[in-house]
Amino acid sequence: MPVFGDPNRFAIEHELDENHGGVWMYGSFCYWCGGRRVGDYELGASLRDVLFQLEQLAKYYERLRANPRFDSMSASAVFHTLHTAFYGETDDDTFALAAEEQWRRHEVIPNVDVFDNWKGFLVESERAARLIFARAPHVEVTELALNSGEFDSILDAAISALGKIYEHEALEREIMDERKR
């Protein structure tokens, strides 16, 4: 079970099932945040789908997930502002502001079943990052201090590892398909 990062800070863990279904890559997946498992690891997931979701999150590498609007806000205020903008009822002005300032780049929990009960956001500056997350019903909000870029470097390592597995399984599938012809 590979773990990327430090589980006492931030880490990503995955494990491929013995009978993983080839390119579907069935297995288990979670984040570790401050020594706490985030996600339903035991539920299991298609690590292929996780990979694709992580690749979407990685699109924001080029630009820090920074926004001065959130710098002085409490973790709870940041969480509820972003959560409401994406998942709640919000007014047109807030919706337009979220689109203009690209708030979606702050969302860092992949949209897969193991995270159905979790939401999380990353707000960075040049020197520091705040990973802010909560489990449904999203009342108890937790903030984890990270270094700027720390989340993305761990995300990159997990994407690389899962990508290698996917490439291997896709090649195996091609070979099997060729043999059938």
Side-chain angles (χ1 to χ4, degrees):
M1 68 184 87
V3 176
F4 303 94
D6 177 355
N8 291 314
R9 289 182 55 76
F10 175 74
I12 296 175
E13 178 181 7
H14 77 271
E15 183 174 8
L16 195 62
D17 288 348
E18 187 174 327
N19 297 316
H20 57 270
V23 293
W24 287 99
M25 298 168 43
Y26 295 120
S28 300
F29 186 85
C30 71
Y31 283 175
W32 283 93
C33 300
R36 176 181 179 187
R37 183 174 269 163
V38 172
D40 190 352
Y41 191 78
E42 303 305 320
L43 177 64
S46 163
L47 297 180
R48 182 202 70 161
D49 293 351
V50 169
L51 171 62
F52 295 163
Q53 288 288 313
L54 295 180
E55 288 173 336
Q56 292 302 308
L57 298 178
K59 288 183 177 181
Y60 299 110
Y61 281 3
E62 299 282 322
R63 192 169 157 209
L64 284 176
R65 291 175 175 93
N67 186 323
R69 173 178 314 284
F70 302 125
D71 289 350
S72 62
M73 292 173 71
S74 71
S76 183
V78 171
F79 181 90
H80 291 293
T81 298
L82 292 169
H83 186 268
T84 301
F86 302 142
Y87 304 104
E89 291 186 26
T90 190
D91 59 62
D92 289 343
D93 291 338
T94 302
F95 185 76
L97 183 63
E100 178 183 329
E101 293 182 358
Q102 299 176 9
W103 289 2
R104 187 61 73 183
R105 65 193 158 111
H106 297 288
E107 190 167 35
V108 292
I109 292 187
N111 185 19
V112 292
D113 291 352
V114 297
F115 291 114
D116 277 353
N117 292 316
W118 294 90
K119 298 292 182 241
F121 307 101
L122 183 67
V123 178
E124 292 181 290
S125 69
E126 295 267 337
R127 293 176 303 208
R130 300 164 64 198
L131 179 58
I132 302 166
F133 59 96
R135 183 182 181 110
H138 309 118
V139 176
E140 184 182 326
V141 175
T142 302
E143 178 175 357
L144 181 63
L146 299 174
N147 297 318
S148 184
E150 183 175 357
F151 177 90
D152 285 326
S153 68
I154 293 165
L155 183 66
D156 189 42
I159 289 170
S160 178
L162 291 171
K164 287 176 184 173
I165 296 168
Y166 181 72
E167 288 172 9
H168 172 77
E169 292 301 328
L171 181 59
E172 288 292 316
R173 185 176 190 169
E174 282 181 36
I175 291 169
M176 288 177 53
D177 287 348
E178 281 295 318
R179 288 181 182 160
K180 290 179 182 177
R181 291 181 201 173

